[in-house]
Amino acid sequence: MIIRVPLRFEGSKGEKTLYALFDSGATYSCISEESVENLEEIIKLHTPLRLATASNATYMEIKYTTRLDFYHEDVRLSDEFLVVPGLSEEVIIGAATMQKWRLKLDFENDRVIVDPRVAKLILINLIKKD
């Protein structure tokens, strides 16, 4: 099941609104090469990742990653995004990010539910650990 919504993304180079596909069937969050331009620096992975696709016996190789902040209903969230060449969507928010931030998908109303209290608690705990 998927939901597609516009989100504001921020990086060290700037910010922009991108359409994010919330996909409970995707493990990782991903961003297209074009979408990450003018947002944030990308980091080369020591060892590239080979990820299986929905197509049988088809793999894609991921060589870069980045970390971005993004906002849903003025709640600041943050996570790592794999930079995927040729990605058909601007951004995909995967299950790991949804679980981390306890995001809920309301398929009847095509919306993403964020509890700002949970996001605030997680951000405070992340800041205290640094």
Side-chain angles (χ1 to χ4, degrees), residues 9 16 21 50 58 79-80 83 89 93 96 99 101 123:
F9 284 80
K16 60 178 142 177
L21 186 76
R50 286 192 70 210
T58 302
D79 213 349
E80 177 182 37
V83 179
E89 297 290 332
I93 306 292
Q99 289 171 353
W101 292 105
L123 279 173

Side-chain angles (χ1 to χ4, degrees), residues 44-124:
K44 187 171 185 172
L45 295 171
H46 181 267
T47 304
L49 292 172
R50 286 192 70 210
L51 301 177
T53 66
S55 178
N56 196 15
T58 302
Y59 295 89
M60 62 180 149
E61 188 172 81
I62 308 299
K63 296 179 182 179
Y64 298 95
T65 186
T66 193
R67 177 162 291 281
L68 292 166
D69 291 339
F70 60 100
Y71 293 81
H72 181 62
E73 297 178 355
D74 295 325
V75 177
R76 179 182 171 195
L77 308 167
S78 180
D79 213 349
E80 177 182 37
F81 291 81
L82 300 177
V83 179
V84 179
L87 189 65
S88 60
E89 297 290 332
E90 292 179 311
V91 177
I92 295 174
I93 306 292
T97 302
M98 288 188 266
Q99 289 171 353
K100 172 183 175 180
W101 292 105
R102 298 184 187 136
L103 303 177
K104 295 180 183 162
L105 303 181
D106 177 1
F107 294 108
E108 286 185 24
N109 299 300
D110 274 344
R111 65 187 194 109
V112 178
I113 301 168
V114 178
D115 182 346
R117 295 171 298 171
V118 171
K120 184 177 179 180
L121 287 172
I122 292 172
L123 279 173
I124 288 170

